[in-house]
Amino acid sequence: MIWEPVLRCPMGGRDVLSEQLRHMAVCSQLPGITIQVLTLDRTTHPALDGPFVLLETSDHQHIAYVESQRGSLVVSHLDEVSIVSQRYAMLRTQALNPDETRDLLDRLLGDP
């Protein structure tokens, strides 16, 4: 999940941003990779508390890695991981679908 402002902020310059957008557009076509963008028109979303990553170990244990301005935390308690998983599910429903995301990347790159 990528928040749209990240796709519009030219950190490193316009050339760097264009290359990153092209790379994401290519990756979005690969099997097994899904890229979704949470658009600017969302005034609120379930990840306002900060970024997180959901992981599954080889023995199927579910873990969440949560970051904040005060530090980071690895969470393995099932109830807490479930809360983060629910937030992720809500984000996915609010974001553009993969085809819409590819269209947005094309527009940002200036492709018709």
Side-chain angles (χ1 to χ4, degrees), residues 35-100:
I35 299 175
Q36 289 183 265
V37 172
L38 188 63
T39 58
L40 286 169
D41 62 351
R42 291 288 174 187
T43 57
T44 186
H45 59 76
L48 288 175
D49 288 341
F52 58 85
V53 177
L54 291 168
L55 306 163
E56 183 176 352
T57 66
S58 59
D59 62 342
H60 307 292
Q61 181 185 9
H62 293 261
I63 298 170
Y65 173 77
V66 182
E67 293 183 354
S68 73
Q69 290 182 346
R70 298 192 41 114
S72 59
L73 181 64
V74 175
V75 179
S76 60
H77 190 275
L78 291 178
D79 290 340
E80 296 298 319
V81 173
S82 177
I83 290 169
V84 176
S85 294
Q86 289 172 20
R87 287 183 182 182
Y88 179 66
M90 288 187 285
L91 281 170
R92 290 196 62 194
T93 65
Q94 293 177 8
L96 298 176
N97 69 41
D99 290 333
E100 294 166 335

